[in-house]
Amino acid sequence: MSADAVVLDVAPLELPEGRFSDRELSWLAFNTRVLDLARDTARVPLLERAKFLAIFSSNLDEFFMVRVAGLKRRISAGVAVPSASGILPRDLHELLLGRTHELLTEQARVFAEDIRPALALRGIEILRWDQLTVQERERMTTLFEERIFPVLTPLAVDPSHPFPYISGLSNNLAVLLKNPQTGARQFARVKVPTVLSRFLPLGEGRFLSIEDLIANHLGRLFSGMQVLDHSTFRVTRNEDVEVEEDDAENLLFALEKELLRRKVGRPPVRLEVEDDIDDRILKLLVSELDISEKEVFKLPAPLDLGGLFSLTAVDRESLQYPSFLPKTHPELAEVETAQPADMFAALKQRDVLLHHPYDSFATSVQRFIEQAAADPAVLAIKQTLYRTSGDSPIIDALVEAAQAGKQVLVLVEIKARFDEQANIDWARKLERAGCHVVYGMIGLKTHSKLSLVVRDEPEGLRRYAHIGTGNYNPKTARMYEDMGLLTSNSVITDDVARLFNHLSGMGQETHYKRLLVAPHGIRRGLISFIEDEIAQQRAGGRGHVRIKVNSIVDEAVIDSLYRASQAGVQVDLWVRGICSVRPGVPGLSENIRVRSILGRFLEHSRLFWFANGGAPRVGIGSCDLMHRNLDRRVEVLVSLTNPRHLAQIEDLFTLAFSDDTASWWLNGDTWTQRTTDAEGQPLIDLQEHLIQAVRGRRMERSN
């Protein structure tokens, strides 16, 4: 997907101020769409709606830990530079807090008035202590004494005991005590342990929150004291990791040191409390945490609806999405007999374009690595790892390969946010097994998804590669929608080999034939392709750009899309999350359409399609259109040339943008959900449509 031969002409036309939507407000709009799924009684099963409430909460936690925390840092540093949307940091902070208050209030309402009663009608209840039977109370008291009480540490606040450090995202009980002998009142904090599930199963769909259990046994913690009041609270802190890489002699040790700092001393950015909290307790928390009243969120119990994930483990098929088991890709199944498919035999015949989770990750990408590890003819394996699962068969296969004497290079990105410690642990495990481990690159994150296998064959050495849009994580591969290319094409594998040499060595490779590579090539390449569509349109052709990403923020790319729209080029943007593009603005973006699709699978693939005068340029890869991806990460896009693969991508875009497909439409800054047609009939669910297509394909094979 090289763009080196293109001469760029990207001198900007006169574009208006205010043409970019704010990225932070756009993210909140994305989380609103997640909340829409929790409110969708027609298309989303009940337990799945509860899960979307949990996803909404976990999304918001990360947003505050990273984005709002960064905004507060800029405000504290006195930065008064407006964002690309023109909003000053302090004003934006207030807008975000105001909108978050609205969203959390709505989330609490949906749970209290809709989902919780609907679950109760179907025998799934979160109960209070006084609603338990005598037998249930006895059983829970035994659980408290045996599993919870031994790990609790009540921390009192008095002249000899300063206010304790409250760890981020922990659930806590604030307790107001009275000494019956002196009459003195005292505050204490009890941290809710995470050794058990947030909602404790009582049996037959009945649950009790762990904080409720602790609250009703506070007398065991504060013997001789009178408990006047108690309330749950939760603090969100700045949890982003900042490593001074330029000055770090060893990136691994520098990051470990920073992870230790993450545990203490990070400033709070949000305080959640129960809406009936005692004023004296609230005043103390606000004062000790040094937080403003606008950063306090009063909500009905239970706080932290992310705990609803534990409820979704209830086995009620009628309340969940129908089960779907991915199967082997048909072009790999063709070489599958009683034994697993011979991946190398299949890839000698043709490239294989995978679409997960509809195509099985286990019988494609995972099998590719596992077969390479076990094959005596394989001499070397090179692999990038950004995030993986705790029991990853990919890791096990790489260890097996190294122990068998193969050359194994693994680039473990230890700066992958919130997975830093896990990746450090994997890196050391791989090193102990004899793998050559590279810990990312100074100043860059390696976000590309690459595997390369070198095999000794009768006709000579042959290389095989996988280039994907998603992480090498077998668990998320069942929940995330992603694409990947398995290939033995010598041009592509040579590109990948040279890129690995660049990542592991000191090379400065920037020229590739079938790849675009960030930070040097992707923005430049994509803009050149957009400019080509403008030229086609002006020459009397029909320019057309189709892009699918998680987020689009980069101003240079967006401006090139605006210029394309002004020239008459049709621009279709399929965006799951943040979108700073404002479509439908007269004179600017009338020819831009933006759609968003959310559902049972997380839409995660990044796809790029350019009409190119009837000979489409099509690529897939790891890169979103954000500054961090284009400037501060190693990202890869690979071009597709097989006509069947091009048709598959084109058909996917056509389905996503059909008026008959359920989606959210963006106009200016306003998102509108469309799930039914003018007659009230349900529109096509894209993901369910693809599931049924896979099932139909399986039936054709069985016949």
Side-chain angles (χ1 to χ4, degrees):
M1 207 171 181
S2 174
D4 291 338
V6 178
V7 178
L8 301 184
D9 179 14
V10 294
L13 301 176
E14 194 66 33
L15 296 173
E17 297 290 333
R19 61 188 181 275
F20 304 115
S21 292
D22 185 80
R23 64 158 290 166
E24 316 300 355
L25 293 172
S26 181
W27 186 94
L28 286 180
F30 152 67
N31 217 27
T32 304
R33 299 196 291 281
V34 175
L35 190 56
D36 286 341
L37 293 174
R39 294 184 283 208
D40 192 337
T41 59
R43 299 188 310 145
V44 184
L46 181 57
L47 277 174
E48 306 294 347
R49 293 171 58 207
K51 183 168 71 174
F52 282 119
L53 281 184
I55 293 171
F56 173 92
S57 290
S58 60
N59 284 348
L60 199 59
D61 287 345
E62 184 170 335
F63 178 69
F64 267 81
M65 288 189 294
V66 178
R67 300 304 306 177
V68 176
L71 191 60
K72 284 197 70 175
R73 264 200 319 271
R74 293 196 292 276
I75 294 170
S76 299
V79 176
V81 178
S83 65
S85 63
I87 306 176
L88 290 168
R90 193 174 299 278
D91 295 335
L92 180 57
H93 187 228
E94 293 200 4
L95 287 171
L96 296 178
L97 293 177
R99 181 58 180 147
T100 302
H101 275 285
E102 296 171 359
L103 288 175
L104 284 172
T105 299
E106 174 62 6
Q107 182 201 28
R109 184 201 67 77
V110 172
F111 178 65
E113 299 179 9
D114 184 354
I115 291 179
R116 189 171 190 169
L119 287 170
L121 286 174
R122 291 157 179 83
I124 302 173
E125 297 182 272
I126 300 174
L127 302 167
R128 298 186 304 274
W129 179 258
D130 58 12
Q131 295 175 301
L132 271 55
T133 66
V134 173
Q135 294 80 7
E136 287 171 338
R137 289 189 188 188
E138 291 175 351
R139 197 163 70 250
M140 286 295 103
T141 295
T142 300
L143 177 69
F144 175 82
E145 294 290 345
E146 293 180 352
R147 297 291 307 278
I148 299 176
F149 179 72
V151 300
L152 293 179
T153 304
L155 296 174
V157 176
D158 59 28
S160 62
H161 298 89
F163 190 86
Y165 180 81
I166 310 298
S167 54
L169 299 188
S170 62
N171 287 311
N172 304 269
L173 286 174
V175 186
L176 190 60
L177 302 168
K178 180 180 178 180
N179 187 320
Q181 296 180 343
T182 65
R185 301 192 177 196
Q186 191 172 358
F187 171 85
R189 172 258 190 157
V190 180
K191 182 177 180 178
V192 177
T194 57
V195 292
L196 296 172
S197 173
R198 170 72 186 293
F199 293 108
L200 305 170
L202 301 164
E204 299 182 350
R206 293 162 63 84
F207 295 85
L208 175 73
S209 73
I210 189 170
E211 62 266 27
D212 199 357
L213 177 58
I214 296 171
N216 281 277
H217 291 81
L218 288 174
R220 289 283 286 116
L221 293 171
F222 303 102
S223 58
M225 300 290 285
Q226 180 182 353
V227 178
L228 298 178
D229 202 352
H230 63 81
S231 188
T232 310
F233 72 97
R234 184 171 181 262
V235 176
T236 310
R237 294 183 178 275
N238 177 351
E239 298 287 349
D240 205 9
V241 170
E242 303 169 53
V243 180
E244 295 295 333
E245 298 180 47
D246 292 341
D247 300 326
E249 294 182 4
N250 187 304
L251 183 58
L252 179 65
F253 292 121
L255 183 56
E256 286 185 310
K257 182 178 179 181
E258 182 60 24
L259 289 175
L260 289 174
R261 288 186 59 235
R262 176 192 270 179
K263 296 180 180 180
V264 295
R266 293 302 185 97
V269 293
R270 177 179 59 159
L271 171 63
E272 297 167 273
V273 299
E274 289 186 48
D275 52 10
D276 61 353
I277 189 172
D278 184 280
D279 287 341
R280 292 165 293 184
I281 295 177
L282 179 58
K283 184 177 180 181
L284 177 66
L285 290 175
V286 169
S287 173
E288 293 292 344
L289 292 170
D290 191 22
I291 203 164
S292 72
E293 291 186 6
K294 291 181 180 179
E295 295 170 301
V296 177
F297 294 82
K298 291 186 175 182
L299 300 164
L303 300 181
D304 181 23
L305 293 181
L308 293 176
F309 278 120
S310 60
L311 265 67
T312 62
V314 175
D315 188 13
R316 297 285 182 86
E317 290 186 6
S318 63
L319 304 181
Q320 297 167 309
Y321 285 124
S323 61
F324 169 66
L325 183 64
K327 300 293 184 181
T328 303
H329 187 286
E331 292 175 354
L332 298 177
E334 289 177 5
V335 293
E336 195 171 31
T337 59
Q339 299 298 320
D342 184 337
M343 300 296 296
F344 303 126
L347 298 181
K348 284 181 184 178
Q349 298 176 26
R350 63 174 72 89
D351 291 353
V352 176
L353 181 64
L354 302 164
H355 194 189
H356 310 298
Y358 312 104
D359 297 318
S360 169
F361 180 89
T363 60
S364 57
V365 180
Q366 181 179 318
R367 183 173 292 168
F368 174 65
I369 303 299
E370 290 175 335
Q371 183 177 335
D375 187 346
V378 169
L379 304 179
I381 303 174
K382 299 185 179 185
Q383 175 86 46
T384 62
L385 288 177
Y386 190 75
R387 303 185 198 274
T388 189
S389 59
D391 54 352
S392 173
I394 301 287
I395 298 287
D396 293 341
L398 295 172
V399 167
E400 176 190 339
Q403 291 175 340
K406 303 181 193 303
Q407 292 291 315
V408 179
L409 171 74
V410 188
L411 196 152
V412 180
E413 183 45 77
I414 57 174
K415 292 170 286 182
R417 182 178 287 153
F418 303 126
D419 278 338
E420 297 96 344
Q421 189 60 58
N423 283 7
I424 288 172
D425 295 340
W426 290 129
R428 287 187 162 145
K429 177 179 178 179
L430 291 164
E431 277 188 322
R432 288 194 297 269
C435 299
H436 302 293
V437 178
V438 179
Y439 299 105
M441 301 181 70
I442 295 294
L444 297 172
K445 282 186 181 180
T446 303
H447 190 249
S448 50
K449 324 299 182 182
L450 303 171
S451 298
L452 183 70
V453 172
V454 182
R455 192 168 187 263
D456 190 6
E457 300 182 353
E459 59 272 22
L461 293 183
R462 190 180 187 114
R463 290 180 291 212
Y464 300 81
H466 172 262
I467 304 173
T469 70
N471 298 310
Y472 291 100
N473 188 322
K475 291 184 178 179
T476 59
R478 295 192 292 269
M479 300 178 290
Y480 287 20
E481 177 274 340
D482 272 302
M483 283 192 156
L485 181 70
L486 284 167
T487 182
S488 64
N489 180 289
S490 60
V491 177
I492 297 176
T493 58
D494 181 65
D495 277 353
V496 174
R498 287 186 290 111
L499 177 55
F500 267 113
N501 289 340
H502 169 63
L503 295 175
S504 63
M506 298 299 291
Q508 299 296 317
E509 183 68 68
T510 59
H511 177 78
Y512 302 93
K513 295 179 180 178
R514 290 281 296 276
L515 305 182
L516 291 179
V517 179
H520 302 293
I522 291 183
R523 179 188 287 110
R524 177 169 56 86
L526 293 179
I527 290 177
S528 75
F529 297 156
I530 296 168
E531 292 292 315
D532 284 350
E533 296 304 307
I534 294 174
Q536 288 280 348
Q537 186 74 27
R538 288 174 175 166
R542 298 184 62 182
H544 197 171
V545 176
R546 291 166 160 170
I547 295 174
K548 178 179 187 288
V549 286
N550 296 305
S551 298
I552 176 168
V553 171
D554 187 75
E555 292 84 10
V557 174
I558 293 174
D559 278 348
S560 70
L561 294 173
Y562 283 149
R563 292 193 296 272
S565 174
Q566 290 173 327
V569 174
Q570 178 64 50
V571 177
D572 294 333
L573 303 177
W574 180 355
V575 185
R576 186 190 85 230
I578 304 167
C579 182
S580 292
V581 178
R582 302 184 68 234
V585 177
L588 177 69
S589 55
E590 297 101 326
N591 293 307
I592 298 180
R593 298 187 296 177
V594 178
R595 302 287 185 267
S596 186
I597 294 175
L598 282 71
R600 69 182 292 180
F601 305 133
L602 185 142
E603 293 287 334
H604 192 252
S605 64
R606 291 88 164 183
L607 314 176
F608 302 85
W609 185 99
F610 303 89
N612 193 37
R617 289 174 168 142
V618 181
I620 67 170
S622 58
C623 187
D624 285 313
L625 300 181
M626 305 179 74
H627 306 138
R628 68 185 189 190
N629 300 89
L630 299 173
D631 296 323
R632 301 191 299 276
R633 289 185 175 185
V634 178
E635 305 274 13
V636 170
L637 303 183
V638 60
S639 63
L640 307 179
T641 57
N642 186 303
R644 289 178 295 104
H645 299 165
L646 304 188
Q648 182 178 344
I649 301 292
E650 185 168 357
D651 290 347
L652 191 59
F653 273 110
T654 299
L655 179 61
F657 280 84
S658 169
D659 290 350
D660 295 327
T661 297
S663 62
W664 284 261
W665 294 29
L666 179 61
N667 186 37
D669 294 315
T670 303
W671 287 95
T672 303
Q673 187 179 17
R674 298 178 75 256
T675 59
T676 59
D677 62 18
E679 285 73 40
Q681 296 301 308
L683 297 176
I684 296 169
D685 183 312
L686 180 140
Q687 295 181 352
E688 182 61 27
H689 175 87
L690 293 175
I691 287 173
Q692 295 305 324
V694 169
R695 285 176 174 153
R697 192 174 72 196
R698 308 293 185 251
M699 291 177 65
E700 289 175 6
R701 283 189 59 211
S702 64
N703 292 335

